[in-house]
Amino acid sequence: MMETAFTPFASFGGGLAIGLGAVLLMLGLGRVLGATGIMSGLVFAENRSEFGWRAAMVVGMILAPGLIFAVTGTMPEVNVPVSPAMIVIGGVIVGLGASLGSGCTSGHGVCGLSRLSVRSLVAVPTFMATAAITVFLIRHVFGG
Amino acid sequence: MKLLFALVTGLVFGVGIAVSGMMDPAKVLNFFDIAGTWDPSLAFVMGGALLVTFFGYRLVWRREAPLFEGRFQVPTSGVIDRKLIGGSALFGIGWGIAGFCPGAAIPALGTGRWEVALFLVAVAGGFVLRRLFSPVRPTLASA
């Protein structure tokens, strides 16, 4: 376990930009910004009319750390305190769960709550709770 | 123009993810570790994002249609079923194990870290696994 600095201003500012991205997508294309839907659409390449904008969005997202590096001279921090095996297990469960539940932190969390979607109002407390329970069990019960 | 707009939108979102700390699994896991090394920063991410999106959506919806499409396409389903609850519960468990979620990992790919690529490949594997369980309606939209 490592301590991380409390960053209310950067986090709030970043949150504003995340929201701006969601609003821009609604303004331009009339879609909710759900990372799961976007990624899944690209993985299965099944909906041609949706493929282009999804690919363009993903390219923009991937360019973001490079832009930050170009402006500030430092890459955004990515500290991974878990093993490769846990990344793989967690990733598979994330993919399975977000796909079954039709959304993740961006789709249900940011966009769904903003739309006051009933489904998202159920989904978000559910995944926040299971994430907190999982972290508690791994760190304090099994002593990972 | 539409694709350029989508690219810039992705860039804005990605910069937000990076600045907010969402692409740092140490920070994400600490947000959930209330009993340990708790870091409440990510509550501010959600606060900022919801503030802009809640009011921004309502401003945008005053328009007849979006800029590059004929109509708004937002999910309309209000069905609360086992798939929604079970899927969301699973998603949280995976998020708590790995510390990445898809919206944070995609921009994080730009840092060049192999752990991020590994996570995203595993997520894609999870998508495939889900299709083996039950067929997906082609129109399924992410909420």
Side-chain angles (χ1 to χ4, degrees):
Chain A
M1 270 171 261
M2 62 181 281
E3 299 267 350
T4 50
F6 177 48
T7 55
F9 297 107
S11 289
F12 186 74
L16 295 178
I18 292 169
L20 181 60
V23 172
L24 282 174
L25 190 66
M26 188 58 72
L27 172 66
L29 283 85
R31 307 295 210 285
V32 293
L33 199 166
T36 296
I38 290 169
M39 184 178 159
S40 157
L42 292 178
V43 167
F44 297 109
E46 57 203 352
N47 195 337
R48 281 205 178 189
S49 61
E50 305 290 306
F51 193 87
W53 73 265
R54 284 175 167 154
M57 261 203 81
V58 164
V59 170
M61 288 188 201
I62 294 173
L63 289 175
L67 177 69
I68 287 175
F69 182 76
V71 173
T72 67
T74 46
M75 269 290 177
E77 286 203 37
V78 181
N79 299 297
V80 185
V82 303
S83 67
M86 282 172 80
I87 293 177
V88 171
I89 294 166
V92 170
I93 299 175
V94 160
L96 179 64
S99 168
L100 273 174
S102 309
C104 53
T105 328
S106 51
H108 277 311
V110 176
C111 301
L113 291 186
S114 293
R115 295 188 302 111
L116 301 177
S117 152
V118 182
R119 280 167 61 81
S120 300
L121 289 167
V122 170
V124 178
T126 303
F127 64 61
M128 296 300 280
T130 56
I133 292 167
T134 303
V135 171
F136 181 81
L137 289 177
I138 290 174
R139 290 192 171 180
H140 302 290
V141 177
F142 301 111
Chain B
M1 265 315 282
K2 176 174 141 180
L3 293 185
L4 183 65
F5 189 93
L7 189 143
V8 172
T9 298
L11 190 60
V12 171
F13 177 84
V15 166
I17 290 286
V19 171
S20 70
M22 282 294 293
M23 67 168 62
D24 188 357
K27 216 166 163 58
V28 172
L29 293 174
N30 277 349
F31 174 69
F32 289 115
D33 191 9
I34 300 160
T37 48
W38 191 43
D39 175 359
S41 303
L42 297 199
F44 290 77
V45 183
M46 203 39 126
L50 284 177
L51 186 70
V52 172
T53 311
F54 184 86
F55 292 105
Y57 270 4
R58 276 146 192 86
L59 275 176
V60 167
W61 287 336
R62 289 184 185 180
R63 300 174 51 91
E64 288 279 305
L67 296 173
F68 304 107
E69 295 285 344
R71 62 190 178 91
F72 292 107
Q73 291 183 43
V74 294
T76 50
S77 168
V79 180
I80 311 295
D81 54 10
R82 275 166 52 200
K83 261 189 347 196
L84 176 74
I85 296 171
S88 298
L90 274 177
F91 166 68
I93 292 169
W95 194 18
I97 292 173
F100 283 115
C101 61
I106 296 170
L109 204 54
T111 62
R113 293 284 296 265
W114 62 270
E115 296 98 325
V116 181
L118 181 66
F119 174 78
L120 285 171
V121 169
V123 171
F127 291 161
V128 173
L129 208 57
R130 180 246 189 276
R131 303 230 168 177
L132 297 178
F133 280 134
S134 59
V136 187
R137 291 185 304 275
T139 52
L140 188 86
S142 94

